[in-house]
Amino acid sequence: MKPVSLIQFLIEERRAGHINAELSLLIEVVARACKRIAVAVNKGALGGVLGNAGTDNVQGEAQKKLDVISNEILLEANAWGGHLAACASEEMEDPQPIPDMYPKGQHLLLFDPLDGSSNIDVNVSVGTIFSVLRCPDDVVEPKAEHFLQPGTTQLAAGYVVYGPATVLVLTFGHGTHEFTLDREVGSFVLSRRDIRIPEATAEFAINMSNQRHWEAPMQRYIGELLAGTDGPRGKDFNMRWVASMVADVHRILTRGGVFYYPLDARIIAKGGSGKLRLMYEANPMAFIVEQAGGAASTGRERILDLQPTALHQRVPVFLGSRQEIELATHYHREADGAQG
Ligand code: FBP
């Protein structure tokens, strides 16, 4: 089969009426920026890019040098293309407007420039996650409130994993597709079209060290997985946790599985609503997973139906093989009902 490049795939999507020229150009620019981030990540210690930047981001987290470098690369690449009205990032408090000297477009771009920061210095896969929304027609200078659109309104979502191979996964709402970077040619080539996540699975991903802080329905659900054949589920489950959401989700898109970052007592005690961010982690991953036949919920609601209230809002994340997500969500709703 003749290899299909990302550019060719985008032209096919345009001909199919799934995307317009501007969105196609936007994805090309983001993919090119991620190729530059891949070069920086792959340099590691030789590039002087490891370690902390000495600054904190809007969430009060210590920024890694590569967090800042990746953010700069994505901002610079998307400033002059004429396809964006503004962009927002995990590393910036407020949206970044497009400089006046450049033409503005109809799209809003949100991104987590380097996901899995805790793994950067230990040479474990990290990634970039992005989501594309339409800028409201009558808005020239988009503010944070113009980004607060439900995940169902996303025009595109994707992530790039910087691992043994550099892989881009993408959806426009017509299936989820994978492209692998051909380093010799320097372009992304279609490696899997229309990915399907198995309905059932025997593999789960969660940070078990947080177990004692979880809510009762989560304790029950994970307890049953750990009980395996000796418990009510009657089958054994295996566990994996890379602590890079992109890598854990990519495994699920490759062989099935489920990923959980639930609420816990410490987060609730601080008045929090989760660890992972809705706009540039949960929403794009939920769109990608649902388009591959999986499910994504907060444990109570479908993530894509949530009405965002803040740019850096956090939510619980349950995603992956449909049967498990539905069962874990059912346990939470049942417990709420019992409490209701
Ligand atoms: P950032 O690295 O972008 O802040 O993302 C958060 C994250 O690293 C996810 O990628 C990952 O799933 C999770 O946090 C790991 O959490 P923990 O450190 O509790 O295992």
Side-chain angles (χ1 to χ4, degrees):
M1 243 260 295
K2 243 167 77 28
V4 176
S5 70
L6 174 63
I7 306 297
Q8 199 179 337
F9 177 85
L10 293 173
I11 291 167
E12 287 171 9
E13 289 293 290
R14 277 171 59 188
R15 287 197 185 124
H18 295 162
I19 60 174
N20 64 23
E22 197 181 278
L23 181 52
S24 172
L25 174 61
L26 190 163
I27 298 300
E28 270 185 65
V29 169
V30 170
R32 198 176 313 123
C34 289
K35 284 192 270 184
R36 287 178 53 203
I37 295 172
V39 171
V41 168
N42 292 143
K43 278 216 182 84
L46 303 182
V49 297
L50 301 184
N52 288 352
T55 48
D56 289 354
N57 67 15
V58 59
Q59 347 253 344
E61 295 157 342
Q63 289 180 308
K64 296 284 185 179
K65 286 182 188 163
L66 274 168
D67 284 325
V68 176
I69 291 166
S70 309
N71 196 55
E72 289 307 321
I73 289 175
L74 281 158
L75 289 178
E76 197 275 322
N78 283 291
W80 49 266
H83 46 271
L84 274 186
C87 50
S89 162
E90 178 184 314
E91 302 304 331
M92 304 181 310
E93 176 137 18
D94 301 310
Q96 175 94 3
I98 298 301
D100 289 340
M101 73 255 208
Y102 295 129
K104 293 188 173 51
Q106 304 153 1
H107 296 95
L108 300 174
L109 176 68
L110 298 116
F111 51 83
D112 176 353
L114 209 71
D115 176 63
S117 307
S118 65
N119 281 325
I120 293 172
D121 297 342
V122 293
N123 201 24
V124 169
S125 298
V126 291
T128 295
I129 309 172
F130 62 90
S131 168
V132 182
L133 300 167
R134 175 174 298 289
C135 180
D137 292 337
D138 55 350
V139 173
V140 183
E141 291 291 336
K143 299 280 179 288
E145 76 245 27
H146 300 114
F147 286 78
L148 304 183
Q149 303 173 30
T152 46
T153 64
Q154 292 177 95
L155 301 175
Y159 65 75
V160 174
V161 185
Y162 309 109
T166 296
V167 170
L168 161 69
V169 168
L170 189 57
T171 186
F172 295 118
H174 301 275
T176 290
H177 317 283
E178 176 199 86
F179 304 81
T180 301
L181 181 60
D182 180 335
R183 292 183 193 284
E184 273 121 43
V185 181
S187 62
F188 283 105
V189 177
L190 184 66
S191 39
R192 285 191 294 158
R193 192 189 282 271
D194 278 331
I195 297 170
R196 301 310 292 170
I197 297 173
E199 291 270 319
T201 184
E203 192 164 64
F204 69 101
I206 195 166
N207 183 339
M208 284 298 295
S209 68
N210 298 331
Q211 183 175 25
R212 70 185 187 286
H213 303 294
W214 296 333
E215 297 178 282
M218 202 66 201
Q219 301 270 11
R220 173 190 173 192
Y221 171 76
I222 296 292
E224 291 180 359
L225 301 190
L226 295 174
T229 48
D230 306 334
R233 300 300 308 275
K235 74 173 186 181
D236 288 337
F237 287 79
N238 188 21
M239 199 205 101
R240 287 283 182 275
W241 184 248
V242 182
S244 285
M245 186 186 195
V246 278
D248 283 310
V249 171
H250 193 65
R251 184 187 57 252
I252 291 170
L253 280 158
T254 306
R255 67 182 190 208
V258 278
F259 169 95
Y260 298 104
Y261 213 109
L263 262 185
D264 75 39
R266 293 163 304 171
I267 296 173
I268 296 168
K270 285 194 222 123
S273 52
K275 160 142 179 166
L276 300 175
R277 279 52 62 127
L278 174 61
M279 299 307 292
Y280 40 79
E281 291 175 321
N283 266 341
M285 289 304 200
F287 191 20
I288 289 163
V289 163
E290 283 202 8
Q291 282 295 314
S297 98
T298 63
R300 281 142 174 123
E301 297 166 79
R302 180 185 177 223
I303 286 175
L304 293 180
D305 289 338
L306 293 176
Q307 174 51 51
T309 55
L311 197 55
H312 302 289
Q313 155 183 11
R314 299 169 185 257
V315 291
V317 176
F318 293 29
L319 58 76
S321 294
R322 179 168 292 285
Q323 288 175 11
E324 288 304 317
I325 299 302
E326 287 172 356
L327 182 62
T329 304
H330 167 66
Y331 282 5
H332 283 73
R333 288 180 180 155
E334 195 182 46
D336 292 349
Q339 280 157 9

